[in-house]
Amino acid sequence: MSRLALLLSLFLFAVGANAQVQSFGEVSFAVPEGWEYSVAPSGDNATLSLGQNGQLVAVMAVFRPLRSAGNPDGDFRAAWAKDVRSMQPPEPVYEHKSLAGYQGRYGSTNTPDGSHYVLLYALEAGGSVLPVLVVTPDRQTFNSLEPVVSLFLD
C-alpha cells in the first residue's frame, strides 16, 4: 500500500471514528460531526443539515438510488429531473472522480432568485445511481464546506 493510500485510510478512519454511521436503504455513511441527520416522512431521502447560530447553513440530501441507464450524463439528468425538479439541469456537467468512493457526475447552479447554491452529485454504483444533493446559501459557503462534503461522498 502506498504511503498516500495509507495516510488517506488512516484519515478516513479517524474522521469516521468520530462520526455517527447511518444507513439509508442499501447505503451507509458517516454523518459529519455537527450535522443533524433525519429521514423524510416520505422515506425518499435522508437529510443532513448544518446550522450555525440558529441559522441553517447547509443541507445534504441522499436520495433513493435510481436504475442506471449506463450513460453517466443521462443518469445525472434523470436524477436532477427526479430530485431537483424545480430548475433546469445545469450546464456543463462534470465528471466526479473519487479516491475512495463512487465515480459519477456533478453539476451546480444558483436558484433563479439567487438565494441558494444547488449542487447535485449522481454517483454510479453498479447498476444504480445514487443522487446526493447539496444546498447552501451561496458558492462561498459551499467552498468552505467542500472538504466535509468530499469526505462524506467518499
Side-chain angles (χ1 to χ4, degrees), residues 43-56:
D44 72 339
N45 68 73
T47 304
L48 294 88
S49 57
L50 177 66
Q52 291 178 344
N53 302 323
Q55 298 288 338
L56 187 61

Side-chain angles (χ1 to χ4, degrees), residues 56-82:
L56 187 61
V57 175
V59 174
M60 288 191 288
V62 179
F63 290 87
R64 295 256 179 230
L66 307 172
R67 174 168 279 136
S68 174
N71 175 332
D73 290 332
D75 290 341
F76 174 86
R77 292 185 196 325
W80 185 278
K82 181 180 180 297

Side-chain angles (χ1 to χ4, degrees), residues 24-141:
F24 178 69
E26 300 168 7
V27 179
S28 294
F29 48 84
V31 176
E33 190 172 329
W35 291 68
E36 292 186 30
Y37 172 81
S38 64
V39 176
S42 65
D44 72 339
N45 68 73
T47 304
L48 294 88
S49 57
L50 177 66
Q52 291 178 344
N53 302 323
Q55 298 288 338
L56 187 61
V57 175
V59 174
M60 288 191 288
V62 179
F63 290 87
R64 295 256 179 230
L66 307 172
R67 174 168 279 136
S68 174
N71 175 332
D73 290 332
D75 290 341
F76 174 86
R77 292 185 196 325
W80 185 278
K82 181 180 180 297
D83 297 323
V84 179
R85 295 187 300 261
S86 62
M87 298 181 290
Q88 292 296 313
E91 288 291 339
V93 173
Y94 301 97
E95 182 177 8
H96 171 72
K97 295 182 181 181
S98 173
L99 295 174
Y102 297 109
Q103 309 300 314
R105 296 291 190 268
Y106 71 95
S108 63
T109 189
N110 289 303
T111 56
D113 66 0
S115 64
H116 292 90
Y117 177 71
V118 179
L119 187 140
L120 179 74
Y121 293 89
L123 306 174
E124 301 288 332
S128 298
V129 177
L130 180 65
V132 178
L133 181 67
V134 181
V135 180
T136 60
D138 51 46
R139 176 64 193 239
Q140 292 76 21
T141 303

